[in-house]
Amino acid sequence: MKNVLIPLAPGFEEIETITVVDILRRSGARVSIAGVVEGVIEGSRGVKLLADESINNINSEKFDLMILHGGQPGTDNLKKSPRVTTLLKEMESKKKLIGAICAAPIILEE
């Protein structure tokens, strides 16, 4: 069973986040939604989600894949997170998979 990390930032694109989580969980993957801020996180269209855990508690060793959501200002908020940047570098150095939807590939350019 694959373990997937999805960081969640304020302003996330709802359909790009919720649909990915839903499909992956239905397929049997273990998906962890990790909030870059504490508490309820509001998406770009007002949908509110509560992350499974804090991004600060994430160990990249546990995950096979990391997927970045799009949306604005969600993509900018992911990009501003030092912890997301660190996790991306760790995943890349271990040759683990990274996915980015819509505007999120901008984060990978740096």
Side-chain angles (χ1 to χ4, degrees):
M1 183 176 298
K2 297 295 182 185
N3 293 310
V4 181
L5 171 62
I6 299 183
L8 186 68
F12 64 93
E13 175 61 43
E14 288 89 343
I15 199 163
E16 296 170 4
T17 306
I18 296 168
T19 303
V20 170
V21 171
D22 183 48
I23 291 169
L24 287 169
R25 286 184 175 168
R26 286 174 191 237
S27 73
R30 289 189 196 117
V31 179
S32 294
I33 303 170
V36 301
V37 297
E38 297 298 320
V40 174
I41 301 173
E42 187 169 339
S44 61
R45 305 293 186 277
V47 174
K48 296 175 184 170
L49 295 180
L50 182 61
D52 300 318
E53 57 190 309
S54 169
I55 195 82
N56 297 321
N57 298 332
I58 295 296
N59 178 348
S60 65
E61 291 289 327
K62 285 179 39 181
F63 296 95
D64 305 298
L65 167 65
M66 181 173 176
I67 300 176
L68 304 172
H69 62 72
Q72 284 298 358
T75 299
D76 290 342
N77 289 330
L78 283 177
K79 190 175 180 179
K80 290 176 193 173
S81 168
R83 185 68 186 133
V84 169
T85 301
T86 298
L87 289 166
L88 283 168
K89 288 178 182 176
E90 290 173 4
M91 298 287 284
E92 181 180 29
S93 73
K94 295 174 180 113
K95 306 283 190 230
K96 294 187 177 186
L97 297 173
I98 298 170
I101 300 171
C102 194
I106 292 168
I107 299 166
L108 302 177
E109 288 180 342
E110 297 177 14

